[in-house]
């Protein structure tokens, strides 16, 4: 393949398969693979012998392949690199579309931040609503599950149920996906069973979610902290669940299916479920009235201490710092806050790890009288907005591009047939 970038081609010129393969630097079979994936269009040659390809389209694909190859090399180790305009993590801070995310969460509601991620515009006072019939359908599906079902499983079932009620779910236009997003989030929350008293089915998402998670009557300060937590957790670049969403969107799955893919990955103990482990740790410390024996027991059992450290931050997770600041405004959160401080102080004697957002979220769920799985539900509802933002972005890219090449390390063929 020539070293220079492919130049502009005459818009009416057609290339043979051999010419297209040479320009792309691939085998002729790969050219037809591009066609099957929707990355190239072809036309039968005059006389019906072979196919021809638009020269300008081939040149554009060649340039795109080169840029992506360069981006992959620059990322080091051949890791997948994805261009995005949504979230930047840099110098122990993170930004949504260039704006400090912690400042956004301090000044704007979860719904406003979600809309900012989706559209790049701020709509003060925006609210999300869903048809009661859709919420009822999702609620019936969720209520059919066993009582011990975790929130993430309930949310995944609710997303699938909502998808079946939407005949337009395969419309991947931006307007249609935004409409899906604004109804899916309240549907997910509305499908969760009430904690103890009558659930709230209108108003801000944070108010509705509280009645699904806590046995306590909500006060304005606690609702405000929950709204801040949702805003802080909306997105965090290409976390594992977000990558799963982009893979689904790259295959042109509809938004409900993309969100379902994210929910499936979120259940891992190293991702969305981490706050539940931190919740149980704080509860143990409060029962023992001393973090030292609890930490010792965890380490003796060979378990890592949940809620500490993050591979993307050298210092304290900025999400944890912002959420801890808000939690200090809640008098009933002080015991759980003190337990979290003890956990950090004791482990810091031997390992320089800072608190991450899972520990701060655990303080909130313990102080709010919630179950250990509540943090996972908060995380999932919050991150649904970010997943939609990434799906919207991925729908504008060429399809099926999220396809890394496997490095085969098994026995070389030909091998004899197994007995």
């Amino acid at each position: 393949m020539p070293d220079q970038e492919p130049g502009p081609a005459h818009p009416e010129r057609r290339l043979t398969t051999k010419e297209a393969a040479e320009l792309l630097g691939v085998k002729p079979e790969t050219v037809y693979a591009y066609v099957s994936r929707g990355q190239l269009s072809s036309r039968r040659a005059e006389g019906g012998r072979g196919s021809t390809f638009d020269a300008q389209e081939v040149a554009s694909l060649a340039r795109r392949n080169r840029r992506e190859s360069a981006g992959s090399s620059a990322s080091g180790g051949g890791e997948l690199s994805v261009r995005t305009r949504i979230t930047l993590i840099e110098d122990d801070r993170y930004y949504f579309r260039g704006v400090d995310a912690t400042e956004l969460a301090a000044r704007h509601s979860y719904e406003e931040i979600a809309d900012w991620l989706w559209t790049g515009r701020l709509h003060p006072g925006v609210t999300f609503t869903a048809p009661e019939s859709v919420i009822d359908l999702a609620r019936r599906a969720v209520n059919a599950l066993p009582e011990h079902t975790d929130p993430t499983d309930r949310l995944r079932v609710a997303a699938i149920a909502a998808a079946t009620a939407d005949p337009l779910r395969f419309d991947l236009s931006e307007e249609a996906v935004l409409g899906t997003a604004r109804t899916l989030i309240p549907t997910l929350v509305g499908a969760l069973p009430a904690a103890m008293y009558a659930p709230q089915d209108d108003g801000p998402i944070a108010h509705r979610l509280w009645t699904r998670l806590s046995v306590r009557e909500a006060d304005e300060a606690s609702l405000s902290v929950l709204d801040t937590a949702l805003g802080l957790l909306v997105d965090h670049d290409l976390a594992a669940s977000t990558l799963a969403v982009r893979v689904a969107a790259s295959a042109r799955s509809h938004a409900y299916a993309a969100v379902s893919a994210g929910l499936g990955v979120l259940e891992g103990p190293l991702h969305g479920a981490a706050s539940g482990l931190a919740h149980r740790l704080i509860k143990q410390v409060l029962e023992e009235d001393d973090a030292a024996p609890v930490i010792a027991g965890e380490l003796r059992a060979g378990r890592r201490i949940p809620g500490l450290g993050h591979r993307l931050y050298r210092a304290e997770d900025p999400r944890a710092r912002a959420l801890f600041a808000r939690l200090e405004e809640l008098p009933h959160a002080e015991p759980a806050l003190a337990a979290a401080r003890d956990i950090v102080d004791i482990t810091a004697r031997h390992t320089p790890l800072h608190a991450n957002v899972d520990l701060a979220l655990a303080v909130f769920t313990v102080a709010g009288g919630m179950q250990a799985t509540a943090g996972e539900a908060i995380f999932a509802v919050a991150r649904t907005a970010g997943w939609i933002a990434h799906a919207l972005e991925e729908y504008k890219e060429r399809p099926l591009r999220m396809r890394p090449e496997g490095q085969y390390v098994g026995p070389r063929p030909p091998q004899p047939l197994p007995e």
Side-chain angles (χ1 to χ4, degrees):
M1 186 172 181
D3 292 333
Q4 70 271 19
E5 284 279 332
H10 193 281
E12 296 180 357
R13 188 178 168 224
R14 306 291 299 179
L15 301 178
T16 65
T17 302
K18 181 181 179 181
E19 289 172 330
E22 289 176 351
L23 186 57
L24 290 165
V26 298
K27 297 178 181 179
E29 309 90 80
T30 306
V31 175
Y32 290 106
Y34 284 136
V35 174
S36 67
R37 295 172 191 164
Q39 295 168 244
L40 275 181
S41 58
S42 65
R43 186 191 303 166
R44 296 296 295 174
E46 290 184 13
R49 299 185 63 182
S51 299
T52 64
F53 305 86
D54 182 275
Q56 197 168 25
E57 189 178 32
V58 173
S60 177
L61 177 60
R63 286 193 296 270
R64 190 162 61 233
N65 286 350
R66 284 194 168 191
R67 285 196 301 269
E68 291 182 359
S69 176
S72 177
S73 300
S75 68
E79 294 180 358
L80 182 65
S81 178
V82 178
R83 296 184 301 275
T84 177
R85 295 176 177 271
I86 298 171
T87 299
L88 169 67
I89 300 174
E90 187 176 72
D91 298 330
D92 286 339
R93 298 173 73 179
Y94 74 122
Y95 306 84
F96 294 154
R97 293 190 179 274
V99 179
D100 189 292
T102 59
E103 293 182 12
L104 273 173
R107 292 170 172 79
H108 295 283
S109 71
Y110 164 67
E111 291 92 327
E112 289 169 348
I113 296 171
D115 228 37
W116 167 252
L117 276 191
W118 298 337
T119 68
R121 297 183 298 275
L122 200 61
H123 300 114
V126 64
T127 58
F128 299 157
T129 59
E132 193 60 40
S133 59
V134 176
I135 295 178
D136 284 343
L137 175 65
R139 190 175 290 156
R140 289 198 302 273
V142 167
N143 288 344
L145 298 171
E147 286 189 19
H148 64 266
T149 304
D150 287 336
T152 305
D153 284 328
R154 296 181 189 275
L155 292 171
R156 192 158 59 240
V157 168
I160 294 169
T164 64
D166 185 359
L168 303 180
R169 61 188 179 276
F170 296 104
D171 183 350
L172 302 185
S173 66
E174 182 173 339
E175 183 180 3
V177 175
L178 285 173
T180 295
R182 294 180 180 122
T183 60
L184 177 57
I185 291 173
T187 298
L188 295 179
V189 174
L192 292 174
M196 281 292 286
Y197 54 94
Q200 184 170 334
D201 288 323
D202 55 12
I205 293 295
H207 294 205
R208 301 183 223 181
L209 185 57
W210 178 278
T211 61
R212 267 80 183 179
L213 300 179
S214 179
V215 297
R216 300 178 184 172
E217 289 283 352
D219 57 81
E220 285 301 319
S222 295
L223 291 173
S224 178
V225 174
L226 177 54
D227 190 56
T228 297
L230 290 169
L232 290 168
L233 292 167
V234 162
D235 191 55
H236 206 234
D237 194 32
L238 287 181
S241 58
T242 304
L243 181 58
V245 168
R246 292 199 76 129
V247 170
S250 177
R252 296 303 183 257
S253 296
H254 54 70
Y256 301 93
V259 167
S260 184
L263 288 167
V265 176
L266 192 71
E267 273 198 298
L270 302 181
H271 197 8
S275 66
L277 302 176
H279 177 109
R280 295 182 180 93
L281 186 70
I282 290 174
K283 293 279 283 187
Q284 282 184 273
V285 172
L286 290 172
E287 290 168 5
E288 296 277 351
D289 199 27
D290 187 356
V294 177
I295 297 299
E298 291 293 303
L299 295 176
R300 184 176 185 180
R303 292 189 289 266
R304 64 187 293 274
I305 307 304
L308 299 177
H310 197 288
R311 62 187 294 268
L312 297 181
Y313 300 114
R314 295 185 301 273
E316 188 176 35
D317 183 337
R319 301 169 298 174
R321 186 166 56 248
L323 191 51
F324 278 134
R326 292 300 318 274
L327 287 165
E328 289 173 359
E329 302 170 10
L330 304 179
H332 59 273
E334 180 51 38
L337 274 170
R341 292 190 198 103
D342 286 347
I343 291 168
V344 173
D345 290 345
I346 289 171
T347 52
R349 297 174 190 173
H350 305 288
T351 308
L353 293 176
H354 299 275
N356 62 36
V357 74
D358 297 314
L359 190 64
L361 194 56
V363 168
F364 177 71
T365 56
V366 169
M370 302 175 187
Q371 297 294 318
T373 54
E376 187 176 342
I378 294 168
F379 199 112
V381 171
R383 193 56 59 87
T384 298
W387 292 336
I388 295 289
H390 281 273
L392 279 164
E393 197 171 62
E394 190 61 36
Y395 289 146
K396 296 176 182 177
E397 298 285 350
R398 64 178 174 85
L400 293 174
R401 72 186 185 115
M402 309 292 281
R403 175 63 165 84
E405 182 180 350
Q407 184 179 358
Y408 179 74
V409 295
R412 295 298 304 171
Q415 294 288 318
L417 286 170
E419 293 293 335

